[in-house]
Amino acid sequence: MLRRRLNRWLGGEERRVDSRTIYVGSRSANEAFIPPKFCDNRIVSSKYTVWNFLPKNLFEQFRRIANFYFLIIFLVQVIVDTPTSPVTSGLPLFFVITVTAIKQGYEDWLRHKADNEVNKYPVTVLEGGRRIRKESEKIKVGDVVEVEEDETFPCDLVLLQSSKEDGTCFVTTASLDGESNHKTHYTVPDIDEDLESLSATVECEQPQPDLYKFVGRMHIDKIQDPTVRSLGPENLLLKGATLKNTQKICGVAVYTGMETKMALNYQGKSQKRSAVEKSINAFLLVYLCILVSKALVCTTLKYVWQSNPGQDEPWYNEKTQKEKDTNFYLKMFTDFLSFMVLFNFIIPVSMYVTVEMQKFLGSYFITWDKDFFDPEIKEGALVNTSDLNEELGQVEYVFTDKTGTLTQNNMEFVECCIDGFQYKYRDANSDLDGICTTDGPVNKVRQKAVEEREELFLRALCLCHTVQVKEPTEQGHSQREEDMVDGLGVDGHLVHPVQEQRGFIASSPDEVALVKGAMRYGFTFMGLESKTMKILNRNNDVETYDLLHVLHFDPVRRRMSVIVRSKSGDILLFCKGADSSIFPRVRPEEVEKIRMHVERNATEGYRTLCVAYKLLSAEEYAQADAGLREARLVLQDREERLMAVYNQVETGMSLIGATAVEDRLQEEAAETMEALQGAGMKVWVLTGDKMETAKSTCYACRLFQKNTELLELTVRTLENGERRREERLYELLREYHKKAVQDAPPNKAGITRSWSSAGQDFGFIIDGATLSMVLNSSSESTSSHYKNLFLQICQNCTSVLCCRMAPLQKAQIVKMVKNSKGCPITLSIGDGANDVSMILEAHVGIGIKGKEGRQAVRNSDYAIPKLKHLKKLLLAHGHLYYVRISHLVQYFFYKNLCFILPQFLYQFFCGYSQQPLYDAAYLTMYNICFTSMPILAYSLLEQHISIEELLDNAALYREIAKNAMLRWGPFLCWTLLGVFHGLLFFFGVRCLFSNPALQDNGQVFGNWSYGTIVFTILVFTVTLKLALDTRHWTWINHFVIWGSLAFYVFFSFFWGGIIWPFLRQQRLYFVFANMLSSVSAWLVIILLILLSLLPEILLVVFRKPRGPHTRQKTPVQTVGRNQSSARPLLMRTFSDESNTVI
């Protein structure tokens, strides 16, 4: 602490923390140079190493209450002389630990393998004028790296040189921020072509996760004229981005390895635990309390009973001298431990084995499901973590990415409106000029805008953009295929053959869609060369325009403009933007003609833009030009100065028309979102995209409805007021809180839409900058208050849209909801590396096998080919997995309580001598062999509702929400049932033994016969109870249920029918066969089994069947049986199982 303060006072820390200095190129020999230390370029996502795997994995496993408990019991059995063998506890524990360690070790080995692929990737580094091939992990900060087209940048680079003459390069950042559009980056000016002689120093900020921020400067050491150049995000190439349409570039490494922006946005993979596991731990504590209580009661009563004269040391069982010398309290403690071991079987050790097997084997049903197979990529679903199967049935919040997840990121020009007349594109050219009208006034056959206005509108589409033309290569066919994959292909039958294979590159896909739309109507953008834009018009004449200025798009203005000079010398400003941004800046009389079309297109889910123009006089242009040049040279408040000039020049425009562009959704995206909301889940869209784009997508996906009132909390709404931003933020939060929370009617459970209640639907929109203000306010108390208000507003909205999100912000949102009141179960779904953080943060992470790399898939818990598969994954698989494992857990606790309660009651009749009621073989094999397979088969194959019904009726998902089947109510019912059965077994058999002669020869049964009869009733009752619970029978269920009972009978005959030489005493010799020779024993066994199951039988008989829970009709059952019985179960899909009834 003292050293840190001294450094701060002396200025040392400021230099070290706030910036880093990087030396590029050769340095003179007489110059003292100590290279600063930076991290290497290795990426590490794995959890274990060879050296720490065993201790770390064992530590994690013994953090589980059950594993730690069984370890203690095993040690007690080894140390203390107990009634049962240590093998009974040690063997199952060893099996569980080993299986889990192998599984987790394999998963981590796959992560090591993925890391090695990245770290060993060959790259080219320039050293001493030579091109040297190195492994990616060996790159150091300050190295000059060469990257070729379609290669991924191995670290964060500052762009020094490009093969393009204008010093630019194009990159796609799909794996970082989800945008697959091409972005333009620029070289640092004044860099010599010969990088060997370059000597420079880069000063830049320390690594930080914001993808869109980078501040630095570069000192270029030249003999004549040393220069300093500023560095910004336009000069930084990020690790994970891909070089496009540029042959090669050279850049200097500034951030490497785990300090790159991509790595800083990566959340470490932590151990995820399901809600079911937490419930198991809670139930386990209850049963531990029962166990300790039983041991305490028996220990106390033993010494109370022995305090009577003659009871402690009867004449036939005198104590040895060693027993007499033993300390009284030590003996009492030893007796307590012995009782603990005797009743230890109330804790179901084998349940953990069965749960692990159920999760592991059950995950294969997702992999085998044919409905998840995608013929395009020829792949199906993938399960990376089987520990969370049941969590799929408990999801309350779904966080989804937009680009590549909800949408295909494939824009298509649909229609336009010019001077109030609608022009809709048709496949056939109905007009010679390529434009046709479809909904002009009804009483007129044909009505169009004036031709001059049409051409002016199309010129505006061809000029007002930042699109660049990608020239065709020699391999025309393959190039066309590539363009089509990028979503940038051109429809060949509408343009000239010369242009057929021309592709477009832009930072926004809708700009490409508008340029292609103009091509359909006869105006083709030819490209930009040396600030000259070329257009091919309808008459096949080339028009040229000098590009004077580009007024770039920003989210506050929500428009962009270009200023061009025509051949005739006219200076024109073309502007396009959102209607709310354009309408106030044009003549009011022009607005009404266009507004109707814009509103209609918006309600149909299309992205709309308005187009305007202005003819600038020489004085107006001179003033604007001077203002723009001056503002661009300013270092302080540059954006504000530019904004003032933009707003000044973009006034008094003339409105020409509007466009409608469709962003194609993923297949069945709207139906999937609607089903998830119908199931009671709240859907949040977290995207790095612009607000307008994302809002349009939400409408198209039916997340926002026509009657949804949108509450917007963005930079634009904060700028509207005259107050400071933070004051305006608090004002809006209070206003929205009053509207959405305080004034809203109380919401019924599970209701998500206003058609189910009298309230208004609200949708909430927030952007990344405003979210930072909410989460990172100036004071901690204010930040906490803002966060609470924000969270309450969001939780009362049907859908939430978060736009312009950095990857780490996505994870922060998920974490905030995950840790909110009630700890709701969250699910994140995405397809790019920018989604990895939120996928890892959520309880369940889903990766989509899209076009944006496989980072999301590798880091997810489950991977599916398409968004539409999420519906079945949650509503069918998730629902069934949860019901199955819930039944498995409750059933295990129930059957072990039935098992050990008679043992406890028996102590009251044997002088608390720790005498076992059951033989050691029965104690060991009860959970392992006699009752384990039926519940395992049930937990894998049971379908209480058919899959078709689950998919058709999404509301069924709500019935199991919030861990409904593992709450304390159902747990208490199962426990009481176990107590009832245990009491019935013990005292029912005791009534039988009140008859002194149960055999033909007049002999009486002994204590082992007593225990064997109780155990026989127990095994048959708990197995038949499960048979009554089974509603979906397959041949496997029949085999394991009746097979387990048959195995028990066979084993009892076999175990008691042979004299085993390795046993010191054979307690069950001929006991089972002798027991079955008694008619009374037969009668009691049958009678007690029927009495035990009577409540269950009556429930099955008199229960009214509900529609969705009834079995399928007989014809469907027959077809399903015929289909599936022809091949083995392992070859069947999960879908087939829903129709299989035997």
Side-chain angles (χ1 to χ4, degrees):
M1 181 69 75
L2 182 63
R3 189 196 300 173
R4 194 178 302 165
R5 286 185 178 174
L6 283 171
N7 279 339
R8 190 179 299 141
W9 290 336
L10 296 171
E13 186 180 27
E14 228 177 85
R15 192 177 301 110
R16 193 178 75 250
V17 171
D18 294 339
S19 65
R20 59 166 52 186
T21 303
I22 299 154
Y23 299 101
V24 188
S26 57
R27 309 198 66 75
S28 57
N30 58 358
E31 191 174 346
F33 173 60
I34 302 172
K37 290 184 179 179
F38 302 111
C39 77
D40 58 23
N41 200 36
R42 281 183 304 153
I43 292 293
V44 180
S45 63
S46 54
K47 192 172 170 185
Y48 304 110
T49 65
V50 175
W51 309 111
N52 72 8
F53 174 73
L54 204 59
K56 194 173 180 181
N57 188 265
L58 287 176
F59 173 74
E60 285 182 353
Q61 292 209 56
F62 284 117
R63 281 169 59 196
R64 278 183 172 179
I65 296 173
N67 289 348
F68 185 71
Y69 164 76
F70 288 120
L71 178 65
I72 298 297
I73 290 293
F74 172 70
L75 294 175
V76 168
Q77 285 180 296
V78 170
I79 298 166
V80 180
D81 183 21
T82 56
T84 54
S85 167
V87 176
T88 55
S89 295
L91 199 61
L93 177 64
F94 177 76
F95 180 74
V96 171
I97 296 295
T98 306
V99 168
T100 309
I102 290 170
K103 179 167 160 279
Q104 291 179 352
Y106 175 70
E107 288 174 354
D108 201 64
W109 176 75
L110 292 177
R111 286 193 285 272
H112 271 284
K113 195 176 172 186
D115 287 346
N116 279 335
E117 284 180 18
V118 175
N119 294 332
K120 301 296 182 186
Y121 187 80
V123 294
T124 304
V125 178
L126 304 183
E127 284 184 5
R130 292 178 300 153
R131 299 169 76 253
I132 299 171
R133 295 291 278 178
K134 279 186 177 182
E135 292 175 346
S136 174
E137 64 182 358
K138 292 181 180 175
I139 294 174
K140 301 187 297 292
V141 170
D143 283 351
V144 177
V145 181
E146 183 181 284
V147 180
E148 296 185 350
E149 186 172 6
D150 293 326
E151 285 186 348
T152 300
F153 301 119
C155 55
D156 291 352
L157 305 168
V158 167
L159 181 58
L160 299 178
Q161 198 177 79
S162 171
S163 60
K164 295 180 77 71
E165 293 178 2
D166 56 0
T168 62
C169 75
F170 299 106
V171 303
T172 56
T173 56
S175 65
L176 291 169
D177 59 10
E179 294 188 19
S180 56
N181 319 309
H182 291 63
K183 294 180 174 63
T184 308
H185 287 258
Y186 303 90
T187 56
V188 181
D190 301 325
I191 297 287
D192 294 333
E193 286 188 16
D194 183 15
L195 291 179
E196 291 178 37
S197 59
L198 175 67
S199 178
T201 307
V202 176
E203 282 186 73
C204 61
E205 62 186 353
Q206 289 288 8
Q208 51 102 350
D210 194 330
L211 295 175
Y212 309 109
K213 283 187 180 177
F214 177 68
V215 177
R217 59 187 174 191
M218 190 169 190
H219 300 264
I220 304 169
D221 303 327
K222 292 185 178 180
I223 298 171
Q224 297 178 345
D225 184 22
T227 57
V228 179
R229 292 295 177 185
S230 64
L231 301 176
E234 69 277 3
N235 306 116
L236 187 68
L237 305 171
L238 300 178
K239 178 182 175 67
T242 306
L243 185 65
K244 290 287 183 184
N245 204 35
T246 310
Q247 285 183 6
K248 69 175 181 178
I249 62 97
C250 291
V252 59
V254 287
Y255 305 128
T256 53
M258 301 306 288
E259 290 182 342
T260 59
K261 289 185 182 287
M262 180 180 177
L264 291 173
N265 277 281
Y266 173 85
Q267 300 274 92
K269 194 157 190 175
S270 60
Q271 186 76 19
K272 293 184 180 181
R273 300 195 182 279
S274 69
V276 169
E277 191 168 328
K278 292 168 188 170
S279 296
I280 291 174
N281 288 340
F283 297 161
L284 206 61
L285 287 173
V286 173
Y287 271 66
L288 271 173
C289 292
I290 294 173
L291 172 62
V292 172
S293 303
K294 283 181 175 181
L296 280 172
V297 167
C298 286
T299 307
T300 306
L301 290 177
K302 175 178 181 175
Y303 283 92
V304 169
W305 185 75
Q306 287 184 355
S307 65
N308 296 326
Q311 300 288 7
D312 185 26
E313 192 177 3
W315 60 268
Y316 55 84
N317 190 17
E318 291 184 4
K319 290 183 180 179
T320 63
Q321 190 60 40
K322 185 180 179 183
E323 287 175 330
K324 288 177 182 178
D325 294 341
T326 306
N327 183 281
F328 175 76
Y329 293 104
L330 180 62
K331 190 170 188 319
M332 185 180 282
F333 180 67
T334 307
D335 282 332
F336 171 75
L337 291 180
S338 297
F339 278 119
M340 285 281 288
V341 171
L342 186 64
F343 302 144
N344 160 54
F345 295 94
I346 195 173
I347 306 295
V349 60
S350 62
M351 179 179 71
Y352 283 89
V353 185
T354 310
V355 166
E356 287 288 335
M357 290 177 68
Q358 190 268 351
K359 289 181 175 182
F360 178 71
L361 296 174
S363 63
Y364 281 100
F365 286 125
I366 295 175
T367 311
W368 291 335
D369 195 332
K370 289 190 292 189
D371 291 343
F372 291 159
F373 183 78
D374 183 33
E376 285 182 30
I377 60 173
K378 295 184 177 165
E379 288 184 43
L382 178 68
V383 178
N384 292 327
T385 307
S386 59
D387 293 339
L388 304 169
N389 293 342
E390 64 279 3
E391 210 81 330
L392 295 170
Q394 293 295 294
V395 176
E396 295 173 60
Y397 284 85
V398 175
F399 299 93
T400 174
D401 179 39
K402 182 190 79 72
T403 311
T405 304
L406 291 177
T407 69
Q408 299 176 14
N409 203 29
N410 187 9
M411 306 286 185
E412 186 176 350
F413 184 89
V414 177
E415 62 179 71
C416 60
C417 165
I418 306 173
D419 277 351
F421 299 102
Q422 185 189 21
Y423 292 73
K424 197 159 189 174
Y425 169 71
R426 289 178 180 171
D427 289 335
N429 289 335
S430 57
D431 293 340
L432 292 174
D433 58 9
I435 299 183
C436 57
T437 59
T438 55
D439 64 347
V442 177
N443 59 344
K444 297 182 180 179
V445 176
R446 177 184 178 84
Q447 188 168 5
K448 294 168 59 174
V450 180
E451 189 172 346
E452 289 178 10
R453 300 286 284 182
E454 290 177 359
E455 293 189 353
L456 185 64
F457 176 81
L458 295 172
R459 285 191 183 96
L461 294 188
C462 282
L463 295 171
C464 188
H465 55 72
T466 55
V467 174
Q468 299 209 19
V469 174
K470 182 176 182 179
E471 295 297 334
T473 58
E474 294 177 10
Q475 298 170 337
H477 183 71
S478 62
Q479 179 65 38
R480 176 160 174 77
E481 281 184 358
E482 182 187 338
D483 286 349
M484 289 180 69
V485 168
D486 288 340
L488 308 176
V490 177
D491 298 316
H493 66 282
L494 291 172
V495 295
H496 301 285
V498 179
Q499 305 297 330
E500 185 174 334
Q501 289 155 6
R502 186 183 295 270
F504 297 118
I505 300 169
S507 60
S508 173
D510 53 354
E511 286 201 326
V512 174
L514 295 178
V515 171
K516 288 166 66 179
M519 287 181 68
R520 289 172 174 172
Y521 298 143
F523 274 73
T524 305
F525 175 60
M526 302 287 290
L528 174 67
E529 293 178 13
S530 304
K531 294 290 183 180
T532 301
M533 302 181 83
K534 294 181 181 179
I535 296 176
L536 187 69
N537 63 22
R538 294 176 182 171
N539 302 321
N540 289 339
D541 297 330
V542 176
E543 301 178 7
T544 58
Y545 295 85
D546 294 331
L547 178 62
L548 303 176
H549 288 286
V550 177
L551 282 55
H552 290 284
F553 177 90
D554 68 72
V556 177
R557 284 168 58 240
R558 299 204 298 167
R559 60 186 182 274
M560 70 89 61
S561 303
V562 293
I563 301 175
V564 296
R565 181 189 287 118
S566 66
K567 257 188 176 180
S568 59
D570 293 333
I571 297 175
L572 297 162
L573 178 139
F574 290 108
C575 180
K576 70 178 181 196
D579 49 28
S580 57
S581 174
I582 299 288
F583 285 167
R585 299 182 169 274
V586 298
R587 301 186 187 100
E589 62 271 14
E590 296 174 334
V591 171
E592 292 308 314
K593 295 187 291 182
I594 306 293
R595 189 191 298 275
M596 177 185 69
H597 293 275
V598 170
E599 288 177 353
R600 178 177 56 80
N601 287 333
T603 56
E604 290 173 359
Y606 297 139
R607 292 168 51 104
T608 57
L609 288 174
C610 294
V611 181
Y613 88 106
K614 179 182 180 181
L615 186 63
L616 297 175
S617 64
E619 293 78 16
E620 285 177 318
Y621 172 68
Q623 186 182 355
D625 182 57
L628 289 168
R629 289 182 187 280
E630 183 184 345
R632 282 174 181 151
L633 291 174
V634 174
L635 293 176
Q636 297 291 329
D637 302 323
R638 181 186 297 177
E639 290 182 3
E640 287 76 5
R641 295 282 293 274
L642 282 171
M643 194 77 66
V645 181
Y646 289 171
N647 289 334
Q648 185 181 354
V649 74
E650 292 171 333
T651 53
M653 297 184 291
S654 175
L655 186 63
I656 319 172
T659 62
V661 173
E662 181 184 13
D663 184 2
R664 290 182 180 174
L665 294 178
Q666 287 278 4
E667 191 181 345
E668 297 179 29
E671 291 81 357
T672 302
M673 293 298 109
E674 210 163 35
L676 297 185
Q677 288 190 321
M681 298 175 224
K682 297 206 171 182
V683 182
W684 292 34
V685 178
L686 310 181
T687 177
D689 217 337
K690 303 181 187 73
M691 189 187 79
E692 290 76 18
T693 314
K695 193 200 293 187
S696 173
T697 304
C698 286
Y699 274 111
C701 287
R702 303 175 199 161
L703 294 173
F704 294 159
Q705 303 282 341
K706 291 180 182 178
N707 63 336
T708 302
E709 183 179 343
L710 297 181
L711 310 175
E712 189 179 322
L713 195 66
T714 59
V715 173
R716 192 164 56 89
T717 55
L718 296 183
E719 295 288 348
N720 285 346
E722 296 178 1
R723 301 184 182 185
R724 286 174 53 244
R725 275 190 175 187
E726 196 156 323
E727 292 175 2
R728 176 68 177 155
L729 172 67
Y730 184 56
E731 181 188 324
L732 283 173
L733 280 171
R734 282 192 307 171
E735 179 189 329
Y736 293 159
H737 186 269
K738 186 175 186 302
K739 188 181 289 187
V741 182
Q742 296 172 13
D743 298 344
N747 202 17
K748 296 174 187 175
I751 288 179
T752 54
R753 285 286 181 202
S754 61
W755 59 67
S756 306
S757 62
Q760 165 73 40
D761 273 346
F762 291 103
F764 193 77
I765 301 174
I766 188 169
D767 61 9
T770 314
L771 181 69
S772 294
M773 292 177 66
V774 171
L775 299 178
N776 310 313
S777 185
S778 51
S779 67
E780 200 170 312
S781 59
T782 310
S783 177
S784 177
H785 184 53
Y786 284 0
K787 203 183 291 186
N788 288 335
L789 284 175
F790 168 68
L791 202 53
Q792 287 177 34
I793 295 166
C794 291
Q795 287 172 336
N796 279 269
C797 294
T798 52
S799 296
V800 176
L801 167 61
C802 304
C803 48
R804 282 292 175 204
M805 291 281 131
L808 214 52
Q809 284 182 311
K810 292 184 178 184
Q812 285 176 332
I813 287 271
V814 176
K815 186 176 184 179
M816 183 176 64
V817 174
K818 188 172 80 168
N819 296 334
S820 64
K821 187 180 177 182
C823 299
I825 303 299
T826 56
L827 177 145
S828 293
I829 180 168
D831 67 324
N834 61 314
D835 305 313
V836 167
S837 292
M838 72 169 183
I839 283 173
L840 292 173
E841 184 62 56
H843 291 96
V844 183
I846 309 286
I848 289 186
K849 297 179 176 181
K851 301 173 183 176
E852 298 179 6
R854 290 297 170 99
Q855 289 94 331
V857 170
R858 280 202 300 267
N859 289 280
S860 65
D861 302 306
Y862 302 89
I864 50 177
K866 295 276 179 68
L867 176 73
K868 65 177 182 177
H869 299 138
L870 184 64
K871 179 181 175 182
K872 186 175 184 183
L873 187 67
L874 297 184
L875 301 190
H877 287 277
H879 186 115
L880 292 174
Y881 281 136
Y882 175 75
V883 170
R884 291 164 179 166
I885 203 161
S886 300
H887 200 284
L888 183 151
V889 170
Q890 300 279 28
Y891 177 80
F892 254 99
F893 281 109
Y894 147 79
K895 76 182 179 72
N896 278 39
L897 185 58
C898 291
F899 177 44
I900 220 65
L901 185 59
Q903 176 72 75
F904 170 69
L905 295 171
Y906 186 61
Q907 297 307 303
F908 291 87
F909 297 90
C910 70
Y912 312 102
S913 60
Q914 299 147 19
Q915 168 67 32
L917 177 64
Y918 313 116
D919 182 66
Y922 284 162
L923 285 170
T924 306
M925 298 186 68
Y926 174 71
N927 279 316
I928 295 176
C929 299
F930 299 148
T931 58
S932 60
M933 292 308 293
I935 186 60
L936 179 61
Y938 177 95
S939 64
L940 287 172
L941 304 171
E942 174 62 8
Q943 290 178 32
H944 64 301
I945 309 174
S946 70
I947 287 179
E948 291 78 8
E949 188 65 42
L950 288 170
L951 293 175
D952 291 342
N953 188 357
L956 291 170
Y957 192 87
R958 297 181 197 167
E959 294 182 3
I960 60 166
K962 297 185 184 296
N963 208 13
M965 295 180 69
L966 285 175
R967 289 185 189 160
W968 292 108
F971 174 71
L972 186 62
C973 291
W974 279 93
T975 303
L976 290 175
L977 183 64
V979 170
F980 166 67
H981 283 176
L983 291 170
L984 191 63
F985 299 158
F986 184 81
F987 289 107
V989 178
R990 189 166 181 278
C991 288
L992 168 70
F993 272 65
S994 61
N995 179 4
L998 293 174
Q999 299 186 69
D1000 297 339
N1001 57 9
Q1003 291 181 351
V1004 296
F1005 280 158
N1007 65 315
W1008 294 115
S1009 299
Y1010 187 95
T1012 305
I1013 295 174
V1014 172
F1015 192 78
T1016 304
I1017 297 166
L1018 166 71
V1019 170
F1020 273 80
T1021 301
V1022 297
T1023 306
L1024 293 174
K1025 161 84 172 73
L1026 190 65
L1028 287 171
D1029 288 342
T1030 303
R1031 301 193 200 176
H1032 178 76
W1033 285 89
T1034 65
W1035 66 265
I1036 292 182
N1037 295 92
H1038 283 288
F1039 177 77
V1040 295
I1041 286 175
W1042 315 124
S1044 293
L1045 295 176
F1047 175 72
Y1048 165 68
V1049 174
F1050 170 77
F1051 175 83
S1052 298
F1053 273 117
F1054 187 68
W1055 182 248
I1058 299 173
I1059 296 175
W1060 300 100
F1062 55 83
L1063 293 177
R1064 288 189 216 166
Q1065 67 268 8
Q1066 195 155 345
R1067 298 160 175 170
L1068 283 191
Y1069 182 67
F1070 231 72
V1071 167
F1072 191 76
N1074 197 37
M1075 176 195 79
L1076 293 183
S1077 66
S1078 170
V1079 177
S1080 302
W1082 275 93
L1083 180 63
V1084 165
I1085 290 171
I1086 294 169
L1087 189 63
L1088 288 180
I1089 290 172
L1090 288 174
L1091 279 173
S1092 302
L1093 296 175
L1094 187 61
E1096 195 76 18
I1097 294 167
L1098 292 174
L1099 192 66
V1100 171
V1101 171
F1102 293 108
R1103 179 173 49 206
K1104 290 182 180 178
R1106 291 197 304 155
H1109 292 262
T1110 53
R1111 293 194 178 188
Q1112 295 172 313
K1113 295 178 182 178
T1114 307
V1116 179
Q1117 294 173 357
T1118 308
V1119 171
R1121 183 169 65 245
N1122 292 341
Q1123 285 177 342
S1124 60
S1125 60
R1127 52 201 165 116
L1129 175 86
L1130 295 183
M1131 296 296 291
R1132 281 190 243 164
T1133 65
F1134 188 75
S1135 307
D1136 291 337
E1137 290 300 327
S1138 64
N1139 295 326
T1140 309
V1141 178
I1142 294 179

